[in-house]
Amino acid sequence: MNERLAINGGTPVRTQPFGQSHDFGDEDIAAVTEVIRSGNIGKGPQVAQFEREFAARHGVKHAISVTSGTAAMHVCIGAINPDPGDEIIVSPWTAGGSFIGALLHNCVPVFADIDDTFTLDPKDVEAKTTPRTRAIIAVHLFGNPCNMDALREIAHRHQLFLIEDCCQAHFAEYQGQTVGTLGDINGFSFGGKHLSAGMGGIVLTNDEGLWGRGVLFADAALPRANGPYEGLPYANYFLAPNYKINDLIAAVLLTQLKKVDGYIANKIRAAQQIIEGLADLEEITPQRVRQGDRHTYWVLGFTIDTNRLNCSAGEFAEAVSREGVPLGGPYIGSGKEGPLYRNPFLAEPDCYGRSRFPFDYEREKPIDYRLAECPYGEALMCRGVNLSMLPSFTDADIADIVQAIRKVAHHYR
Ligand SMILES: Cc1ncc(COP(=O)(O)O)c(C=O)c1O
């Protein structure tokens, strides 16, 4: 089989658009309407109920709802309160939102390499640890859990905070334990992820001290009624942003929370069928999932063997997309644009005016991200292609996805 590709003027596998990423409907409209009719759309009972329900679903004591995943990760950093110039270890294959908060807190990212799970390689985390390291951010990329036992052991031994970035990984499980329950303090995004209100985020923690400071940090460090600092005189106690959400957002999150298990079950089923449908193609390898873990597939990621296929990952993705199946090329870019340490805000750098702050703070030589290297991840992720998973995928959709990828793979052999 070597059909003419759509990109070369052939007939595309598919011309129909795919379905929706979320099932927003009457329940959401009713919930929002009720909040508006109550006359109080600020932060109120819906936010409190959502925090209780989300924390209970995770078996965690405390939740702090915020405006985005970026805000959630910032609150994690604000809660641990590192000093300027402190180092935070993170993977460079993640959204900037994983550590924008750390940069705003004047910390510096130190990039550790990944392995074939597309998540932090504990060996390189260990190698990148210095006396200035304060925390590790474990990003469960695409919904695939990090090696949490190994990271926790390193964090414990070096007295570091372990922070989970669960933005893409709602209800994923590391060896039977739901992500967001394994780090000291952990962030989620609700901006288009499995559970979504188009925006929003949340922080989970069991640590009373981190919760107390986190609650203040998300709210301009103002003590409020029903909060951990109720009764303190009204004042801004330290420098902090305002990341509060309102009851309109929380009402949608509450109705969507009832649907999220269904979304995730469908994504996992679809991912497994697509992986099976491509299993005999030796040129295409799925992101490795550790045995005993539950990947929740916000994104289904593969790497292609560019020695066997006569194309780059970007060309492969473009050809599949032209078949009517939107496939992305390397995540966070490759070559000049990616991974994150090549992005201008770090590589130039462009953070605080014309200064090199915080990369030169109390350092003999400023950190130069143009020299950063994660060789295993660079060789792997420049061959990456990825598919955003929809809970609405039908068997017919899955068949088209498999057919489009197979058609392109056969062509480039
Ligand atoms: C891993 C990761 N961390 C953080 C963020 C930031 O979340 P938000 O876009 O809600 O600010 C994202 C967003 O895609 C993400 O994927």
Side-chain angles (χ1 to χ4, degrees), residues 68-70 73 94-95 97-98 139 165 167-168 189 191 193 200 298 331:
S68 68
T70 305
M73 299 314 296
T94 184
S98 291
V139 183
D165 180 337
C167 289
Q168 303 183 359
S189 163
K193 307 303 189 308
W298 182 57
Y331 181 72

Side-chain angles (χ1 to χ4, degrees), residues 68-92:
S68 68
T70 305
M73 299 314 296
H74 193 185
V75 170
C76 293
I77 300 294
I80 70 172
N81 197 24
D83 291 324
D86 279 357
E87 297 172 1
I88 312 257
I89 298 179
V90 66
S91 158

